[in-house]
Amino acid sequence: MRRNRSRNRRIAPGTSHRRLLLTIMQEAEKHLDAKELYRRASDKDASISLATVYRTLQLFKEQGVINEMHLGQARCYYEMKRSGEHQHLVCESCGQVIDFESPLVGKLVAEVQRKNDFCATNVELYLLGYCSKCKEGKSKPERPK
Amino acid sequence: MRRNRSRNRRIAPGTSHRRLLLTIMQEAEKHLDAKELYRRASDKDASISLATVYRTLQLFKEQGVINEMHLGQARCYYEMKRSGEHQHLVCESCGQVIDFESPLVGKLVAEVQRKNDFCATNVELYLLGYCSKCKEGKSKPERPK
DNA sequence: ATAGGTGCAAATGGTTTGCGAAAAC
DNA sequence: GTTTTCGCAAACCATTTGCACCTAT
């Protein structure tokens, strides 16, 4: 699976730091942000720095090993690219992130590419709202509008 | 259309600054980021400050007058909420943003809500890739992966 | 020895905020 | 006269970068 052996930079896990970061990403039960990844990495190797985490995340992204997602606001989240493409539901109340997948996504992308003569390299799709628990308990937390 | 007359804050265009910002948003041919909105507002009223632009954008957002979008990275873009829901295609090469709409989006949202017992208040969907012009000219700019 | 990787601290850049002054009602 | 808004400058925060040192080859 590893490509571009010829490029200037080393293959993904070229150093112990990268290997560590890759392992953590692979074992992560969910997507992580840079800080959380840094936190987990620090537990195993206190010498690692946040800058390295960012640089490595950048590298993994370029290599297509991970996906970067902007679920809402400022910070980005990352997860390993796995077989099944999926999207996310973000609960605005409890913050929970739920995965989902639907064949409609593929259809939609295909249709859009065809109609607009566009070549998509990346799909960013998520729904903000309230999960089953939160939409009941709360009597409309804060005017979801 | 204006709701929540009872809330503490005034209805959207309560001051000349807000009125100005609202007008600019309405007349904008495309989505703007805070800086661009500030630029345009400054042309008409040099006394306005960036902070006011941000605070007003925040207000409009809460009131449901505008949509906030994160098309890719750091900064956010805003546009008036209009009748036709639509999504965006972002060309990674020329930066152009193309609107598109498809009934599949509605179907998808409906399906996801039903299957996950989720209540969506907001859909964020955009495709990154290459527009018709760019995907031809360039022989794959930088490994779109 | 040499290119690439890393830590550290400083720099960036978009967005937010505290505060006292000004405007709205 | 209160309440809300505003300008200003400082604060925030995620991310990026310059630079000198380190490390694997």
Side-chain angles (χ1 to χ4, degrees), chain B residues 10-143:
Chain B
R10 285 175 202 147
I11 305 299
T15 67
S16 59
H17 277 166
R18 290 186 186 170
R19 235 183 305 275
L20 172 60
L21 291 173
L22 184 61
T23 302
I24 295 177
M25 287 300 293
Q26 288 172 325
E27 295 178 346
E29 68 296 348
K30 61 179 181 62
H31 32 73
L32 310 174
D33 60 10
K35 223 167 176 178
E36 176 60 21
L37 177 55
Y38 171 60
R39 216 171 285 128
R40 297 187 184 193
S42 298
D43 284 346
K44 305 210 174 185
D45 179 347
S47 78
I48 202 169
S49 82
L50 225 202
T52 296
V53 171
Y54 276 108
R55 280 189 275 235
T56 305
L57 243 14
Q58 184 66 35
L59 175 65
F60 287 173
K61 197 171 45 169
E62 282 171 16
Q63 292 179 161
V65 181
I66 60 173
N67 266 332
E68 179 185 72
M69 307 169 305
H70 315 87
L71 304 178
Q73 313 297 353
R75 65 163 149 280
C76 299
Y77 292 88
Y78 303 86
E79 68 182 1
M80 294 299 297
K81 265 191 184 163
R82 303 192 190 283
S83 47
E85 281 297 325
H86 67 271
Q87 323 303 140
H88 303 91
L89 303 177
V90 183
C91 179
E92 296 188 272
S93 179
C94 67
Q96 176 190 191
V97 178
I98 306 162
D99 294 350
F100 79 84
E101 56 185 315
S102 163
L104 287 177
V105 176
K107 276 188 193 168
L108 176 66
V109 174
E111 178 189 297
V112 170
Q113 292 193 109
R114 182 166 43 75
K115 287 192 179 172
N116 295 275
D117 191 22
F118 189 85
C119 171
T121 57
N122 233 307
V123 181
E124 181 116 11
L125 165 60
Y126 59 86
L127 275 59
L128 293 167
Y130 297 91
C131 70
S132 53
K133 293 187 200 91
C134 295
K135 80 179 184 184
E136 314 201 16
K138 326 236 165 185
S139 52
K140 301 212 170 179
E142 44 181 28
R143 313 205 294 92

Side-chain angles (χ1 to χ4, degrees), chain A residues 122-135:
Chain A
N122 233 308
V123 181
E124 182 116 10
L125 164 60
Y126 60 87
L127 274 59
L128 292 167
Y130 296 92
C131 70
S132 53
K133 293 190 200 88
C134 295
K135 79 178 182 184

